[in-house]
DNA sequence: CATTCGTGAAGACGAAT
DNA sequence: ATTCGATTTCACGAATG
């Protein structure tokens, strides 16, 4: 593929044939074919177009699209030529990396001897290895940048980023990337890492700082969790309490009550199937209630990104559980 | 007036087929 | 791929302080 590109490009800029044919082609390109003064034929020399009859300069200072050197034979052309394959931004290496053809032919199309063939096999193998390693490094670098950005936007500590990058690396090694966006996998890795390290962020929060949409994020997350068989236990509602509590500015006592409620609920298995965030939100709402502190459902709903309805439903359950369940001190 | 509470319809999700 | 059940959310009106 690369070789054919070189050829076609070469043909366009081939200068050894730069004689009559080329000049004809150039003057044909001109819009004005005859002199506006006397109607005589026009001729193009160097970078200006002149009337052959009266000498009027019709156009000058044209861009010279040809090379600035001349070649007198094919050897000199090869030495002076600076053209190569056109670069493309579609490939991370701008298409400049080495490609070794799969056919066991030399440059003249002749078949290779067995010794040469083996050598080429080795070269192919190593070239491929370096190239893919290279592209993976690049990929990783970008992904880590994204992870870093999102992590700091979410106020996640260093160890979460570490974990996230480990997960991402694994995904990369298992070839889970093709077909998925770097951004998506980076986001999913971060989300998984946050949960694994006990500093969870809700899907909404993570999706908000990510550049990909939520649907794709969830899909990708499920995918990598399954493929890497990451073991992620359901988020512990208590892990959210501290953050919500401080964002709402409720008292330590209220926060303690909230945690108590959650522990009770857990003891009674009241939390299976329910959204942990919702449960945490309910607890953060119910805690202050027990200490006569004023917090509205709307406020909690705001910081926890959970509907008020859910808070209502959950906190009723929480209160019931604490009455029938454990003995409050 | 703000807040809370309850309801039913509708959407989203996981599990099962 | 579809269907089913449970959960969550939305929108509304009523009750409560």
């Amino acid at each position: 593929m690369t070789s054919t590109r070189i050829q076609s490009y070469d043909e366009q800029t081939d200068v050894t044939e730069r004689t009559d044919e080329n000049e004809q082609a150039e003057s044909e390109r001109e819009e004005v074919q005859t002199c506006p003064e006397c109607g005589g034929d026009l001729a193009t020399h160097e970078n200006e177009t002149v009337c052959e009859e009266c000498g009027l300069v019709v156009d000058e200072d044209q861009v010279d699209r040809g090379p600035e050197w001349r070649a007198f034979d094919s050897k000199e052309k090869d030495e002076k030529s600076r053209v190569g394959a056109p670069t493309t931004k579609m490939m991370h290496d701008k298409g400049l990396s080495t490609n070794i053809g799969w056919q066991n032919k030399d440059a003249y199309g002749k078949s290779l001897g067995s010794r040469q063939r083996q050598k080429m096999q080795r070269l192919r193998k190593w070239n491929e290895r370096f190239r893919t390693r290279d592209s993976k490094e690049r990929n990783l670098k970008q992904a880590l940048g994204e992870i870093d950005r999102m992590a700091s936007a979410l106020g996640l500590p260093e160890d979460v980023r570490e974990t996230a990058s480990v997960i991402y690396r694994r995904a990369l090694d298992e070839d889970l990337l093709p077909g998925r966006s770097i951004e998506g996998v980076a986001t999913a890795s971060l989300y998984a890492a946050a949960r694994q390290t006990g500093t969870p962020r809700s899907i909404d929060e993570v999706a908000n700082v990510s550049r990909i949409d939520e649907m794709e994020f969830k899909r990708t997350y499920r995918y990598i969790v399954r493929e890497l068989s990451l073991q992620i236990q359901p988020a512990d509602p208590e892990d959210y309490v501290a953050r919500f509590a401080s964002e709402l500015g409720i008292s330590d006592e209220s926060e303690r009550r909230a945690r108590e409620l959650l522990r009770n609920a857990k003891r009674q298995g009241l939390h299976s199937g329910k959204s942990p965030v919702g449960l945490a939100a309910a607890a953060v709402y119910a805690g202050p209630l027990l200490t006569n502190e004023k917090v509205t459902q709307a406020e909690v709903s705001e910081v926890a990104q959970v509907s008020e309805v859910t808070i209502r439903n959950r906190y009723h359950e929480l209160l019931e559980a604490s009455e029938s369940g454990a003995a409050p001190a």
Side-chain angles (χ1 to χ4, degrees):
Chain A
M1 172 139 191
T2 306
S3 59
T4 66
R5 245 194 276 124
I6 289 180
Q7 267 196 352
S8 63
Y9 194 78
D10 235 356
E11 273 166 19
Q12 279 172 16
T13 56
D14 194 338
V15 282
T16 50
E17 325 261 320
R18 194 180 201 281
T19 47
D20 317 328
E21 291 173 40
N22 270 349
E23 286 194 6
Q24 252 184 20
E26 272 182 32
S27 50
E28 270 171 26
R29 255 183 255 125
E30 294 295 328
E31 302 239 340
V32 187
Q33 297 288 341
T34 57
C35 176
E37 289 289 317
C38 62
D41 287 343
L42 297 179
T44 303
H45 299 288
E46 300 290 317
N47 57 350
E48 62 183 27
T49 303
V50 191
C51 172
E52 291 196 318
E53 300 286 322
C54 62
L56 175 70
V57 177
V58 178
D59 193 8
E60 57 183 344
D61 289 338
Q62 304 160 343
V63 175
D64 184 0
R65 292 180 185 78
E68 79 287 13
W69 45 265
R70 297 182 63 195
F72 295 94
D73 57 35
S74 64
K75 180 178 165 233
E76 200 169 301
K77 178 195 164 196
D78 285 343
E79 282 171 354
K80 290 187 173 178
S81 176
R82 279 187 291 267
V83 299
T87 61
T88 171
K89 289 183 175 157
M90 301 294 286
M91 287 181 249
H92 73 276
D93 56 6
K94 296 183 182 166
L96 289 175
S97 59
T98 309
N99 269 311
I100 302 179
W102 58 273
Q103 291 178 88
N104 286 312
K105 301 279 183 63
D106 64 14
Y108 304 102
K110 292 200 307 188
S111 294
L112 265 42
S114 76
R115 197 179 173 79
Q116 284 296 311
R117 248 208 300 275
Q118 285 181 11
K119 183 176 179 184
M120 291 308 290
Q121 285 293 356
R122 281 199 307 279
L123 286 177
R124 264 197 284 274
K125 182 190 289 179
W126 281 100
N127 184 49
E128 193 58 23
R129 281 186 188 168
F130 281 122
R131 210 155 51 102
T132 59
R133 233 204 79 187
D134 221 51
S135 81
K136 281 188 178 180
E137 286 303 317
R138 223 173 282 266
N139 184 323
L140 189 61
K141 198 174 171 191
Q142 188 191 337
L144 294 187
E146 276 306 309
I147 288 177
D148 233 34
R149 182 184 64 78
M150 292 186 287
S152 56
L154 291 170
L156 287 168
E158 191 62 31
D159 61 320
V160 178
R161 300 177 205 192
E162 298 277 340
T163 311
S165 66
V166 169
I167 295 176
Y168 190 90
R169 251 177 230 277
R170 282 192 56 200
L172 203 54
D173 287 340
E174 310 253 339
D175 287 328
L176 262 41
L177 264 293
R180 256 150 261 279
S181 69
I182 293 177
E183 181 79 18
V185 179
T187 311
S189 302
L190 183 64
Y191 175 68
R195 289 184 55 170
Q196 274 193 332
T197 51
T199 45
R201 292 294 181 273
S202 70
I203 289 187
D204 296 274
E205 290 172 298
V206 179
N208 271 336
V209 300
S210 174
R211 281 193 242 272
I212 68 166
D213 77 18
E214 195 170 318
M215 277 280 289
E216 188 185 342
F217 163 37
K218 289 188 207 169
R219 263 212 316 276
T220 311
Y221 171 68
R222 276 196 291 273
Y223 179 70
I224 74 165
V225 165
R226 180 158 37 86
E227 290 302 316
L228 299 180
S229 52
L230 298 173
Q231 34 187 345
I232 300 185
Q233 52 278 39
D236 186 343
E238 250 187 276
D239 292 333
Y240 290 101
V241 170
R243 199 154 45 86
F244 293 164
S246 87
E247 258 182 84
L248 287 168
I250 66 177
S251 69
D252 290 350
E253 173 63 12
S254 301
E255 182 178 337
R256 200 181 57 76
R257 299 295 272 270
R259 290 179 187 282
E260 246 173 54
L261 288 169
L262 285 176
R263 271 194 281 268
N264 271 327
K266 263 192 285 184
R267 207 170 304 141
Q268 298 179 39
L270 205 358
H271 61 299
S272 78
K274 312 288 201 300
S275 132
V277 197
L279 225 31
V284 172
Y285 171 71
L289 227 57
L290 300 177
T291 59
N292 289 326
E293 209 173 323
K294 177 213 157 250
V295 174
T296 71
Q297 294 175 358
E299 286 171 322
V300 180
S301 165
E302 173 64 25
V303 305
Q305 297 284 296
V306 168
S307 83
E308 302 173 31
V309 181
T310 305
I311 296 176
R312 287 200 277 277
N313 294 336
R314 287 298 91 73
Y315 100 86
H316 283 144
E317 294 169 8
L318 285 180
L319 293 183
E320 277 182 35
S322 82
E323 280 168 19
S324 62

